[in-house]
Amino acid sequence: MQQLDVVIIGAGPAGLAAAIQCRENDLDVVVLDEFPKVGGRLLGQLHQEPSGEWWNGIEESKALQTKAESLNTDIRLGYSVYHIEKLEKQFVVHTKQQKFVTNNVLIATGAAESPAPIPGWTLPGVMSIGAAQVMTNVHRVKVGEKGIVVGVNVLSAAIARELQLAGVDLHSMALPTRNVVSEDQANPRLVMERLSRIAHLAPSKFIQFGSRFAKWKWVQDLVVQYYPKNGIKMWGMPIYLNKAIKQINGTDKVESVTMVDVTMHGDIIGNSEEEIPVDFVCIAGGLYPLAELAGVVGCPFIYSEELGGHVPVHNEKMETPVAGIYVAGNITGIESSKVAREQGKVAGLAIVIKEKNTSEITGKLQTAISEVKATRDAASIQFHPHIPEGRAKVSAAYDDLVKAQEVEKELEYV
Amino acid sequence: MKDTIVCRCEEVTLQELEETARKYNSSARELKLLTRAGMGFCGGRTCRQAVDKVLTDITGEDPTNELPLKVAPPVRPLSLTDLGGLAKDE
Ligand SMILES: Cc1cc2nc3c(=O)[nH]c(=O)nc-3n(C[C@H](O)[C@H](O)[C@H](O)COP(=O)(O)OP(=O)(O)OC[C@H]3O[C@@H](n4cnc5c(N)ncnc54)[C@H](O)[C@@H]3O)c2cc1C
Ligand code: FES
């Protein structure tokens, strides 16, 4: 059986960037991804930066792939990892096709979408916003004739724009009505606060007005309170923070949605029901780190709302307390693809240092770590306003755990 | 108003979760086992976040640092042949 230095799970920006570092230093690497294409979530991305430049995910992904291939990286597509088994010093990575024995595993599985259940959401024609993005930008399939987006956040606004650019007709974007699951997304005040983070993407005076005073809560209250009845238009499409979708109607497939007016707290205003004919609905419930495999191999977790949910505890070098298991990219918290790529680089270098037992590239590793922070600060897409706080929490948790482990070891010697 | 399905694989509704919790005064884990919410074909990938949120709300248990209901392999649907270890080793 071939003995590998590292198995990288996920061929998104994080996994690919790590693979490049490992291959440049001659490690034995296999990259596994269950999708038939290389690139992860990069593939769907297309947006304009504040500088006016376009971010084209397909091109970014091609650049990484070309680089990895020029280094003879073994990338296996259509390989679903369903288990990571821990041996004494090594790991066995299980896929249907094959098992891989390796010294290290980098889990770079990215993020998944949270659902926002509303009545009727199981009808054909209802899809997650990410599915609409993949169909439109990756598979080039038109998702429908006229649709509506339920859930207003950074991701859904960016993807709605992409759908528009592809010529897909959207009625509007609106909130879901409140239930225990969608509480946050149904709260206009909270949505406004988070939306102010993408103000530069929105050529709307209203949102820009709100965002400039992001720190003054009362101004945002005013913006929400006096929200224009016809919505704020982004690229000509109304965004309603004062209307919500109560249910999706249809017999065999989506035929319409029921829209209601809501107060600034998200309460439904009586007698405001309106039926809007659409043939598809995109649900945007937000993203969460896809960390199942880290759970299976015994990584400890920490809950951070700022980072999007439960993330595996790790340090700045992307090491987890389980020696040999590394994490990078959105599994460590929901951030832009540029941050994921920089994190991948860090993880790759950290693995090289461990495997080669060399300190030659420690300088390079330190630079890469600072790059992650610089990229984070400059990111045009921020999924949560308090990401650095979330990051600090995770680092502190790592230090605590490692200290506890050391104490335990000392006690064993006694 | 129509029911709100939370777990699509097992067709468990929000109303059902709430009623079951009230009737048996159950913990998050018990509620999952009683209703099968989150235990369908997709392994909870689709509904896990929603189910956890409902359970937190109903039972008042905080989102702790532990994953709400431990993840167990296989994390993807698998045939018995594959599980039987017939996949070849490299
Ligand atoms: C729907 C959606 C849209 C997004 N849009 C944007 C955007 O417009 N701009 C932006 O900056 N960020 C966006 N993001 C955030 C995005 O996740 C990051 O930008 C970036 O792609 C994360 O990189 P990554 O390498 O961590 O993960 P990903 O790019 O998600 O790659 C992870 C890879 O791991 C694979 N994988 C997962 N589990 C397994 C397994 N068990 N076995 C084998 N392979 C597995 C997946 O198939 C995937 O290819 C979006 C995320 C999502 C989910
Ligand atoms: S949707 Fe609940 S298990 Fe699949």
Side-chain angles (χ1 to χ4, degrees):
Chain A
M1 207 183 287
Q2 189 190 348
Q3 303 273 328
L4 293 160
D5 293 322
V6 55
V7 169
I8 298 177
I9 309 170
L16 289 174
I20 291 170
Q21 294 305 320
C22 292
R23 285 300 303 141
E24 277 180 345
N25 290 281
D26 272 334
L27 295 193
D28 282 329
V29 184
V30 168
V31 182
L32 304 173
D33 198 303
E34 58 190 349
F35 200 65
K37 287 185 183 183
V38 170
R41 288 296 178 178
L42 269 179
L43 293 175
Q45 298 176 14
L46 180 67
H47 42 78
Q48 204 166 11
E49 302 273 300
S51 62
E53 247 174 84
W54 283 85
W55 172 257
N56 182 332
I58 293 184
E59 277 170 22
E60 293 301 324
S61 149
K62 255 194 212 127
L64 286 168
Q65 186 178 0
T66 310
K67 178 88 200 199
E69 281 171 356
S70 74
L71 295 161
N72 294 321
T73 311
D74 186 356
I75 304 178
R76 313 271 182 102
L77 300 173
Y79 280 63
S80 257
V81 176
Y82 65 83
H83 185 24
I84 305 173
E85 194 184 337
K86 194 173 171 327
L87 308 177
E88 180 106 42
K89 285 228 161 91
Q90 290 181 306
F91 301 93
V92 187
V93 176
H94 293 246
T95 71
K96 243 185 240 180
Q97 294 91 333
Q98 232 170 299
K99 291 177 200 162
F100 300 88
V101 178
T102 176
N103 296 340
N104 304 283
V105 180
L106 169 62
I107 313 177
T109 45
E113 295 184 80
S114 305
I118 48 177
W121 76 303
T122 50
L123 279 170
V126 183
M127 63 198 82
S128 74
I129 190 85
Q133 184 187 41
V134 170
M135 276 198 264
T136 307
N137 292 344
V138 182
H139 302 300
R140 308 279 175 202
V141 173
K142 192 171 183 188
V143 289
E145 290 308 318
K146 188 163 192 97
I148 190 163
V149 177
V150 185
V152 181
N153 53 45
V154 180
L155 184 69
S156 67
I159 299 179
R161 176 63 179 150
E162 292 170 14
L163 294 179
Q164 245 191 346
L165 287 170
V168 177
D169 193 8
L170 291 174
H171 173 274
S172 61
M173 296 177 71
L175 306 176
T177 47
R178 188 172 52 213
N179 60 34
V180 291
V181 179
S182 61
E183 232 166 354
D184 286 1
Q185 296 127 30
N187 178 338
R189 183 63 186 71
L190 248 179
V191 170
M192 173 82 209
E193 189 183 317
R194 294 192 178 163
L195 210 57
S196 65
R197 290 277 148 179
I198 49 160
H200 55 269
L201 292 175
S204 155
K205 289 275 173 297
F206 224 88
I207 291 183
Q208 279 176 2
F209 172 76
S211 69
R212 222 174 297 146
F213 299 100
K215 287 193 190 114
W216 298 355
K217 293 230 177 297
W218 60 272
V219 178
Q220 287 194 357
D221 281 340
L222 281 181
V223 176
V224 173
Q225 203 168 346
Y226 295 107
Y227 203 84
K229 190 108 188 106
N230 296 324
I232 288 173
K233 288 213 166 110
M234 255 212 256
W235 306 293
M237 171 189 49
I239 300 185
Y240 298 114
L241 298 188
N242 50 351
K243 288 180 192 286
I245 305 305
K246 193 174 149 197
Q247 66 177 45
I248 303 168
N249 314 305
T251 7
D252 299 320
K253 56 184 171 59
V254 176
E255 286 159 24
S256 71
V257 293
T258 307
M259 197 184 237
V260 291
D261 292 342
V262 293
T263 65
M264 67 178 283
H265 302 293
D267 298 318
I268 297 177
I269 298 171
N271 288 328
S272 59
E273 283 192 13
E274 188 188 345
E275 200 170 318
I276 294 161
V278 287
D279 68 348
F280 73 95
V281 177
C282 298
I283 296 199
L287 303 176
Y288 71 94
L290 189 58
E292 323 150 291
L293 288 171
V296 164
V297 75
C299 292
F301 280 80
I302 177 164
Y303 180 81
S304 157
E305 199 217 310
E306 300 89 340
L307 300 178
H310 286 90
V311 299
V313 173
H314 60 279
N315 64 9
E316 279 188 334
K317 297 187 219 160
M318 313 317 278
E319 297 166 326
T320 71
V322 181
I325 299 285
Y326 295 76
V327 287
N330 273 202
I331 185 180
T332 72
I334 307 305
E335 295 199 64
S336 87
S337 40
K338 288 182 183 173
V339 176
R341 190 176 56 191
E342 297 308 318
Q343 288 177 320
K345 195 171 168 187
V346 170
L349 289 168
I351 294 169
V352 171
I353 292 175
K354 178 187 170 230
E355 276 308 296
K356 299 234 142 163
N357 204 3
T358 161
S359 54
E360 265 170 45
I361 52 172
T362 14
K364 219 171 159 188
L365 176 64
Q366 286 311 324
T367 315
I369 291 174
S370 342
E371 274 305 305
V372 172
K373 286 185 191 136
T375 311
R376 175 171 300 136
D377 292 343
S380 62
I381 289 201
Q382 279 174 1
F383 288 88
H384 195 284
H386 303 296
I387 288 169
E389 283 92 324
R391 292 280 165 206
K393 245 197 260 178
V394 176
S395 295
Y398 181 89
D399 293 343
D400 286 350
L401 271 171
V402 171
K403 250 179 240 151
Q405 276 178 355
E406 277 164 11
V407 171
E408 230 168 81
K409 258 194 214 143
E410 266 170 40
L411 288 179
E412 272 170 28
Y413 282 123
V414 172
Chain B
M1 186 159 125
K2 285 191 274 185
D3 281 349
T4 311
I5 290 178
V6 176
C7 172
R8 307 171 64 129
C9 293
E10 296 289 328
E11 298 197 341
V12 186
T13 65
L14 185 56
Q15 292 76 4
E16 201 178 328
L17 281 167
E18 281 168 347
E19 268 161 34
T20 313
R22 218 175 303 125
K23 195 159 157 202
Y24 298 102
N25 191 20
S26 45
S27 70
R29 191 184 145 71
E30 287 162 352
L31 195 50
K32 271 196 176 178
L33 295 172
L34 279 168
T35 59
R36 291 199 52 81
M39 297 168 69
F41 181 75
C42 78
R45 267 232 285 185
T46 316
C47 66
R48 182 182 273 269
Q49 298 296 102
V51 170
D52 287 343
K53 202 126 186 221
V54 176
L55 299 191
T56 313
D57 187 77
I58 295 178
T59 62
E61 294 172 20
D62 266 346
T64 53
N65 288 337
E66 296 303 312
L67 285 180
L69 196 76
K70 266 184 61 187
V71 203
V75 302
R76 292 290 179 278
L78 202 65
S79 75
L80 282 175
T81 320
D82 290 328
L83 193 61
L86 294 183
K88 62 178 190 328
D89 294 349
E90 176 154 289

